[in-house]
Amino acid sequence: SENNMEVNSKRILDIDSICENGGKINLAGNIYAVAENNILKITEINPVVISEETVCFPMEYGKNIFRGKTVTAVIKTTDDDYSQNSFDADKLTGIAVIRNRMPGDRIKLKGNSFTSSVKKLFNSRIEAAMRNDICFIADDEGPVFIEKIGIAERVRITDDTKKILEISIDCE
C-alpha cells in the first residue's frame, strides 16, 4: 500500500477482532488501529522513550537509597525546625515516588508565577554528567521536589500546613 501497511486477510480478521473486543493493533511504524466503545480509529501513537537509566520506586518514610545516595524522608510538625527541602505532606496527590528525570517534566517552583521545563532548569544549573543522578520526589501530578533545584509551589508550606515532609540527601 502507499503507507507501507500490509493488507491481508489475517490483518482484516485482527481488526475485526479488536472492533468486537476493544484493543489496538500496530499497522506500521507509529500507526495503530485502536478500537474503543464501538469506534475504530486509525491513529499515530508515539512511544515514550525512557532512558535505560531510569529509576522509579515508591518513597518510604525513613531512609531510601537512590543511585548511591541516601534520601531520608521525615514527617515533622510545624512546631519542629525544618529545612528548605521541606513541603506540605498533605498536598501530595496519590503515591509519592523517588525517581530521576523523565521526558517532559515541568515544575512551578516555590515563589515563581510560571512553570519551567526541567530541561531548561538543568541546562542552566546542573552539569550534563550529573543530570540522571539528580533525585526527584514526584506524585501523580509530577515533580514536587528536585534535588539542587527546589520544591514545587503547589506543596509549599503555608499557615494551614499541619504535616511537613522534610527531605535530606546524603552521598555515600
Side-chain angles (χ1 to χ4, degrees):
S1 80
E2 70 182 61
N3 295 318
N4 297 320
M5 291 186 208
E6 182 181 336
V7 178
N8 59 39
S9 60
K10 182 181 179 333
R11 176 63 55 97
I12 292 169
L13 289 173
D14 289 343
I15 291 172
D16 183 55
S17 174
I18 68 165
C19 287
E20 288 180 21
N21 304 311
K24 70 180 176 183
I25 296 174
N26 179 257
L27 299 175
N30 293 338
I31 307 298
Y32 288 80
V34 180
E36 192 173 80
N37 300 323
N38 294 323
I39 298 171
L40 177 65
K41 295 179 185 175
I42 306 299
T43 187
E44 183 175 9
I45 300 174
N46 292 312
V48 175
V49 178
I50 298 175
S51 162
E52 291 177 20
E53 299 177 26
T54 297
V55 176
C56 183
F57 56 89
M59 182 185 71
E60 305 271 337
Y61 294 117
K63 293 186 178 188
N64 300 268
I65 303 299
F66 171 82
R67 299 178 80 77
K69 301 174 190 178
T70 301
V71 180
T72 306
V74 178
I75 292 292
K76 295 189 169 194
T77 68
T78 53
D79 296 330
D80 298 322
D81 289 332
Y82 52 88
S83 73
Q84 65 183 15
N85 291 342
S86 300
F87 52 87
D88 189 327
D90 293 324
K91 292 179 182 172
L92 292 172
T93 304
I95 296 172
V97 296
I98 295 176
R99 64 172 174 82
N100 53 353
R101 64 183 173 157
M102 301 277 284
D105 272 342
R106 299 182 67 75
I107 188 169
K108 181 178 179 182
L109 291 170
K110 181 176 86 172
N112 285 357
S113 60
F114 56 90
T115 300
S116 302
S117 78
V118 169
K119 183 177 181 177
K120 283 186 179 180
L121 291 169
F122 273 22
N123 286 344
S124 66
R125 301 185 192 187
I126 308 291
E127 292 177 40
M130 302 294 296
R131 293 177 186 166
N132 274 346
D133 295 329
I134 295 295
C135 178
F136 284 61
I137 308 292
D139 65 6
D140 290 352
E141 293 182 40
V144 294
F145 166 82
I146 304 173
E147 177 187 9
K148 299 184 182 188
I149 301 285
I151 67 163
E153 173 68 22
R154 67 185 175 86
V155 295
R156 72 179 169 83
I157 295 168
T158 66
D159 291 341
D160 296 328
T161 299
K162 297 193 178 14
K163 191 164 68 171
I164 295 170
L165 182 59
E166 182 179 58
I167 303 296
S168 62
I169 299 176
D170 297 308
C171 296
E172 297 192 344

